Amino acid sequence: MTATVAEVAATDTRGLEAFCDRWERAWNEHDGDAVAALCAEDLVYDEPALGETAYGTDSIRDFVTLMARTFPDYSFTRMGLYGEVTRRAVLVAWHFSGTLAGSDQRVEFHGDDRLELGEDGLIHAYRCLYDHRFVLSQLSRAETEK
């Protein structure tokens, strides 16, 4: 029987890295179903762009769709991976880049995903952390340049 990511998060860096590879690939393929499949139905999702906490896999699936419409060429590059040794959690540091739909405006910024994993090996809490005001300033520059 294969151990879940949650069971090995603190000791099996390869298992943790494989899980985060799937996370990164799903986002970069703009595949909301694949992102949602890595999350539990009772997901608690904090995303600065939403302005409030969202719940459930539909919320993250819908956000991936929104991102793909807003930044059709977006991609995330993983910059680091940090496992929590006392609980089932990981921090994924990343760099985002994408072009705003209908413009030539590139948006780039760094952020972190804090993923809390349940015993089922799925993400139960996801907190996305980045400077939302910095992102908005890049988007407002695109508006003023039109």
Side-chain angles (χ1 to χ4, degrees):
M1 178 175 190
T2 304
T4 67
V5 172
E7 292 168 333
V8 299
T11 59
D12 181 1
T13 56
R14 286 187 183 160
L16 185 58
E17 191 168 21
F19 180 84
C20 291
D21 286 346
R22 290 194 312 272
W23 178 249
E24 181 180 3
R25 185 172 42 256
W27 277 99
N28 283 333
E29 291 175 354
H30 306 185
D31 187 343
D33 290 330
V35 171
L38 297 171
C39 300
E41 287 296 323
D42 67 350
L43 176 70
V44 176
Y45 175 38
D46 287 318
E47 161 62 54
L50 294 175
E52 63 185 16
T53 299
Y55 300 92
T57 53
D58 287 343
S59 64
I60 197 160
R61 183 182 295 110
D62 292 347
F63 188 74
V64 173
T65 300
L66 175 64
M67 288 289 294
R69 279 196 311 256
T70 307
F71 302 99
D73 64 346
Y74 82 77
S75 67
F76 290 93
T77 303
R78 187 170 48 206
M79 306 302 291
L81 177 61
Y82 309 93
E84 171 66 56
V85 296
T86 59
R87 61 190 178 104
R88 295 179 174 104
V90 62
L91 184 78
V92 181
W94 46 260
H95 178 264
F96 171 92
S97 63
T99 307
L100 182 62
S103 78
D104 293 329
Q105 176 65 44
R106 293 289 294 168
V107 174
E108 296 197 32
F109 60 98
H110 294 281
D112 299 308
D113 287 347
R114 187 182 72 200
L115 310 174
E116 295 182 24
L117 306 167
E119 291 195 26
D120 58 3
L122 298 174
I123 300 165
H124 284 259
Y126 168 29
R127 183 157 193 211
C128 186
L129 307 164
Y130 59 89
D131 186 343
H132 188 58
R133 285 181 292 182
F134 177 67
V135 174
L136 291 176
S137 73
Q138 291 182 63
L139 294 174
S140 67
R141 276 199 314 262
E143 285 298 313
T144 60
E145 292 173 4
K146 282 185 177 179

